[in-house]
Amino acid sequence: MSEPLVIGIESSCDETGVALVRGHELLANEVASSVEQHVRFGGVVPEVASRAHLQAMVPTLQRACAAADVDLTEIDGVCVTAGPGLMGALVVGLSAAKALAVALDKPLYGLNHLVGHVAVDLLDHGPLPERFCALLVSGGHTSLLVVDDITSSITEVGATIDDAAGEAYDKVARLLGMGYPGGPVIDAAASGGDPRAIAFPRGLTSARDLAQHRFDFSFSGLKTAVSRWVELRRRDGLEVPVADVAASFQEAVADVLTAKAMDLCDHFGLDTLLLGGGVAANSRLRGLLSERADAVGVVVRRPRPGLCTDNGAMMAALGAEVVRRGHRPSSLDIGADPGLPVSTVLV
């Protein structure tokens, strides 16, 4: 049997993504971002994102088909993000996918956006181990997972109890007047700063916290600490060393993420960790994780930076694996689920 050919549609936030994948081969991956429309608001505006998806969906689909040189009648399934994400944004992608499934008489697969961030690594590094850990870090989610089967068995062991890491980046960047989105601009600024200049707190790492939240994260306190430090400097008429603040903040985030990820691998006796999500493109996170993983013999897998942010390839990669393993398609009457748990891979 030939490898399944699927189309993947992603519209959970501010990127409209359409991709075509055959097995583990990426044939096309087109993305239309509405991020510029959200810059003046300092964050994603759901209604603006939804309207942008409506405008971008058909052109993005057309570009993907042209790039892959594929006739849609050849595909084995239509794969789409069913959740989690912004309700209005999800509905646009899901509606487009349902229309394609009906028009082409092809099966529909409503899939989990977070699991897609794990599965996309199949396109870069091939088959996944039988059992492994995953660290997902994005604007809306920060989670530690144990994956027994990418298509059916995923356990969330730890998660953020307040701000996600990417959300903290956006808020600190806004505080420093660096613009939106915060991840890339803070990463760039940090390269010229001293990560040891300011001792910002590491959330949920005290003995008491670890007893209750060993694998959980909290970045709200860190964000507040940065805000207070900057406020005091400005109150006293002192210059704010933006590069040092950025580097020290970024070091605090990367330190906690990597320490807890390594603890997870040790606790479950697993020697492979997959890093996914938009913040996975962060240079310090990638570097520190490699250092700590190498020291304890853990193999780190991470997709190329271009596949870390939201895109259709991640949904197509997961969908191709779901189709290959013979899982049942979704019903055409499935709805979008903004709070879809990561344990639900296929709706």
Side-chain angles (χ1 to χ4, degrees):
M1 179 180 176
S2 61
E3 292 289 338
L5 171 64
V6 303
I7 188 167
I9 297 174
E10 153 62 23
S11 68
S12 66
C13 192
D14 58 350
E15 272 104 15
T16 306
V18 180
L20 285 139
V21 164
R22 187 189 301 276
H24 296 162
E25 179 186 3
L26 180 60
L27 305 179
N29 185 34
E30 296 295 323
V31 178
S33 176
S34 63
V35 66
E36 292 300 323
Q37 298 180 47
H38 305 285
V39 169
R40 67 191 179 99
F41 302 105
V44 176
V45 180
E47 180 64 18
V48 172
S50 300
R51 290 181 180 275
H53 287 307
L54 279 171
Q55 296 171 347
M57 187 61 67
V58 171
T60 308
L61 174 64
Q62 291 172 334
R63 291 199 307 273
C65 291
D69 193 21
V70 165
D71 188 325
L72 286 179
T73 59
E74 303 172 25
I75 66 172
D76 298 300
V78 180
C79 307
V80 61
T81 300
L86 302 174
M87 174 57 90
L90 290 168
V91 166
V92 175
L94 195 55
S95 298
K98 288 180 178 181
L100 276 178
V102 170
L104 298 169
D105 192 24
K106 300 294 182 179
L108 174 74
Y109 297 88
L111 302 170
N112 192 299
H113 170 84
L114 298 180
V115 183
H117 275 303
V118 179
V120 74
D121 191 66
L122 289 162
L123 303 178
D124 274 348
H125 303 114
L128 294 161
E130 286 188 7
R131 194 167 191 247
F132 61 96
C133 297
L135 170 62
L136 293 186
V137 196
S138 68
H141 303 275
T142 306
S143 303
L144 282 171
L145 314 174
V146 172
V147 181
D148 291 293
D149 186 322
I150 191 65
T151 65
S152 63
S153 181
I154 298 177
T155 304
E156 185 175 65
V157 180
T160 180
I161 64 173
D162 43 53
D163 291 353
E167 184 180 359
Y169 267 90
D170 290 340
K171 290 178 178 178
V172 169
R174 190 181 310 128
L175 170 71
L176 296 173
M178 300 173 69
Y180 174 85
V185 293
I186 286 184
D187 197 9
S191 64
D194 180 0
R196 296 165 297 181
I198 309 162
F200 287 132
R202 272 62 170 163
L204 296 184
T205 58
S206 69
R208 180 178 177 181
D209 287 329
L210 289 173
Q212 298 180 343
H213 297 283
R214 180 174 178 179
F215 299 116
D216 292 325
F217 302 98
S218 172
F219 297 104
S220 180
L222 170 61
K223 172 202 66 180
T224 300
V226 175
S227 177
R228 288 176 176 170
W229 194 91
V230 171
E231 181 182 353
L232 288 174
R233 293 281 296 190
R234 289 172 175 166
R235 186 197 65 184
D236 295 339
L238 300 174
E239 180 183 354
V240 175
V242 172
D244 286 346
V245 174
S248 298
F249 162 76
Q250 179 160 275
E251 189 69 16
V253 174
D255 185 18
V256 172
L257 290 172
T258 55
K260 295 208 172 197
M262 291 298 96
D263 187 28
L264 182 75
C265 292
D266 179 65
H267 180 74
F268 286 93
L270 300 174
D271 60 5
T272 300
L273 176 77
L274 192 145
L275 176 64
V279 184
N282 180 266
S283 64
R284 183 52 182 158
L285 175 58
R286 293 166 80 97
L288 186 57
L289 187 60
S290 291
E291 291 174 21
R292 289 181 166 172
D294 288 346
V296 295
V298 171
V299 175
V300 176
R301 290 178 53 147
R302 51 190 167 238
R304 74 193 88 152
L307 293 182
C308 289
T309 51
D310 295 348
N311 57 76
M314 56 194 254
M315 306 319 298
L318 177 57
E321 199 68 11
V322 166
V323 173
R324 187 177 69 82
R325 299 193 190 189
H327 289 286
R328 56 146 185 91
S330 303
S331 168
L332 284 172
D333 64 1
I334 62 170
D337 185 351
L340 188 68
V342 71
S343 56
T344 302
V345 180
L346 173 64
V347 178

